[in-house]
Amino acid sequence: MPDENILLWKSVDLNHNQYSFLVEGVGFFDGIIGPSARLVSDTESVQTICNSGDPEFLAVTKVYLISPPWMNRQNERLMEPLAEIRLQSSDKERQIYEFVTMAGQTYTSVPQPKPT
């Protein structure tokens, strides 16, 4: 991997309590078609990019969920490829989503009580 890519990742700042997404695909960078990636922090942005609502992305090849420890119930952040995003509830003040990974794990966008 070229050094400039490594330096870019050293500058990413993630909120410890918030989930994020890494969207990979093909798009334009400085007017040239090539691999493209974007870090976003909300489901609506992922949906916009996947539905070709972003002129910098021609196609999305993979979306990763970057889950915080409260979401994945582990002591670290995980980055897993997503298979599906489901709207679980839109009745409340904020929408609640379920994120299904390629491995079949399902996470929710709001903290759940810990199992006893």
Side-chain angles (χ1 to χ4, degrees):
M1 178 180 291
D3 286 340
E4 62 268 12
N5 292 339
I6 293 171
L7 293 175
L8 172 67
W9 281 105
K10 287 182 181 178
S11 67
V12 173
D13 184 26
L14 297 174
N15 182 331
H16 184 70
N17 292 318
Q18 183 178 352
Y19 58 89
S20 304
F21 304 93
L22 179 66
V23 181
E24 291 183 334
V26 177
F28 286 104
F29 183 76
D30 289 338
I32 300 172
I33 290 180
S36 191
R38 183 171 305 152
L39 183 67
V40 297
S41 60
D42 62 281
T43 306
E44 292 79 17
S45 295
V46 173
Q47 291 170 332
T48 298
I49 294 169
C50 288
N51 293 330
S52 301
D54 188 316
E56 294 180 14
F57 273 88
L58 297 174
V60 172
T61 55
K62 197 171 277 189
V63 177
Y64 296 90
L65 172 66
I66 304 170
S67 59
W70 66 261
M71 180 183 273
N72 61 44
R73 300 193 188 275
Q74 297 191 27
N75 291 327
E76 61 187 358
R77 249 181 211 288
L78 296 179
M79 186 166 124
E80 302 173 84
L82 274 179
E84 184 178 6
I85 297 176
R86 299 179 192 152
L87 180 60
Q88 184 182 31
S89 172
S90 61
D91 296 336
K92 299 179 181 177
E93 288 182 17
R94 64 180 180 163
Q95 295 179 327
I96 299 172
Y97 292 95
E98 284 185 340
F99 307 111
V100 182
T101 68
M102 293 286 203
Q105 180 67 42
T106 301
Y107 301 111
T108 184
S109 62
V110 295
Q112 300 294 308
K114 292 184 179 182
T116 54

